[in-house]
Amino acid sequence: MGANKDKKEPCGTVCLKYLLFAFNFFFWLAGGAVMGVGIWTLGVKSDYISLLSSKTYAASAYILVLAGVIVMVTGVLGCCATFREQRKLLLVYFILLLCIFLLEILAGVLAYVYNKQLNEELKQNLRETMTQKYKQSSQEHVTRAVDKLQQEFKCCGSNSSSDWAESAWIRTRDAAGRMVPDSCCKTLTEFCGRRDHPSNIYKVEGGCITQLEKFILDHLKIIGGVGVGIACVQVIGMVFTCYLYKSLKETY
């Protein structure tokens, strides 16, 4: 299939080419999946990122997006290198595979490390973020994230609804007599936050910290699993590439 046809290709070389082509096709699909997980984290769940002081969670998602894009480009390059029998292209392909492998291992490691420090970070920062930044000027993204958090996970306050007594916003006229934000209410209506009785607002044990921690931990497992899982599959591709490179070198 390449320019050199003076020698008949050994059966092993032909098999390796088709195996590597099949690998690249599935690798290309996997790249789309990796990129999709990263985009989902940054897009659909981006509001919650603003509630975290550390950028590790976002960084691991950005790494997955970058790795996914490179994977898809590399998959196409791998197919071209395989059927054109270009050893230089195969070498470039191998180097790109190695770079992607390292990126995805990095994403997995970041997810694992952040998994260990998440609880302490939330304990130290979430309460202050919710009470001091909610409904403050230039903090609309935090307000949106807090409202979404309390409604989606049916919770109120960082540890409990009583946290809102320390809110900078609750103490102002703008709160209009509310004791908690309206997003704490079981039935969301304007000014429903004026009544903080358990029949009206969410009283979840552990507050929103517990709910947000569980959500992020579950998602970190997805990020880490996808990153490390695809990286392990790439080892197969790198082995196929090395054998094909060696086989073409011996044949031509």
Side-chain angles (χ1 to χ4, degrees):
M1 294 184 186
N4 298 318
K5 282 295 181 182
D6 297 331
K7 296 183 180 180
K8 186 176 180 181
E9 292 179 340
C11 181
T13 302
V14 176
C15 290
L16 276 172
K17 286 199 299 185
Y18 282 99
L19 279 172
L20 193 55
F21 179 81
F23 169 82
N24 276 300
F25 175 73
F26 289 109
F27 189 52
W28 184 85
L29 294 178
V34 168
M35 186 170 61
V37 170
I39 291 174
W40 179 59
T41 302
L42 296 170
V44 179
K45 304 300 178 182
S46 61
D47 286 336
Y48 296 142
I49 293 175
S50 64
L51 299 177
L52 304 172
S53 59
S54 171
K55 301 301 180 184
T56 308
Y57 181 59
S60 60
Y62 278 117
I63 289 172
L64 281 188
V65 173
L66 176 62
V69 171
I70 299 175
V71 163
M72 297 187 78
V73 173
T74 302
V76 175
L77 175 64
C79 290
C80 294
T82 301
F83 280 94
R84 289 178 63 85
E85 299 179 356
Q86 296 288 329
R87 280 180 289 163
K88 288 183 179 179
L89 275 180
L90 278 175
L91 188 58
V92 172
Y93 172 67
F94 178 85
I95 292 171
L96 285 174
L97 277 182
L98 183 60
C99 290
I100 299 165
F101 174 82
L102 295 175
L103 275 175
E104 289 174 338
I105 288 294
L106 177 60
V109 169
L110 283 176
Y112 177 79
V113 170
Y114 192 53
N115 186 314
K116 301 299 181 183
Q117 68 183 49
L118 177 63
N119 181 268
E120 193 60 34
E121 179 189 327
L122 289 177
K123 284 181 180 178
Q124 291 178 0
N125 299 294
L126 186 60
R127 182 174 181 175
E128 182 179 352
T129 298
M130 292 177 75
T131 57
Q132 301 305 314
K133 294 184 179 181
Y134 185 79
K135 290 287 187 180
Q136 302 303 303
S137 59
S138 75
Q139 297 293 336
E140 292 83 3
H141 60 296
V142 173
T143 300
R144 184 172 59 252
V146 170
D147 285 337
K148 182 178 179 180
L149 174 67
Q150 296 190 142
Q151 277 290 296
E152 187 170 326
F153 294 111
K154 304 184 187 308
C155 58
C156 183
S158 176
N159 297 292
S160 69
S161 58
S162 61
D163 291 342
W164 286 110
E166 301 175 15
S167 168
W169 172 69
I170 288 293
R171 297 172 181 173
T172 66
R173 287 185 177 182
D174 293 337
R178 293 178 179 86
M179 302 179 75
V180 295
D182 292 339
S183 56
C184 280
C185 299
K186 295 178 179 178
T187 302
L188 183 59
T189 57
E190 190 175 13
F191 303 120
C192 64
R194 289 174 174 173
R195 180 169 169 266
D196 66 348
H197 192 272
S199 63
N200 182 51
I201 67 170
Y202 295 115
K203 295 279 188 178
V204 178
E205 185 177 350
C208 291
I209 278 184
T210 303
Q211 304 300 313
L212 182 59
E213 182 182 14
K214 183 179 183 301
F215 165 79
I216 294 178
L217 286 177
D218 288 344
H219 201 63
L220 283 173
K221 289 176 184 176
I222 295 174
I223 292 176
V226 168
V228 175
I230 297 299
C232 290
V233 172
Q234 284 174 237
V235 174
I236 300 172
M238 287 190 280
V239 170
F240 283 162
T241 304
C242 288
Y243 275 113
L244 181 57
Y245 182 89
K246 182 180 178 183
S247 179
L248 289 175
K249 188 175 182 180
E250 290 174 352
T251 301
Y252 302 118

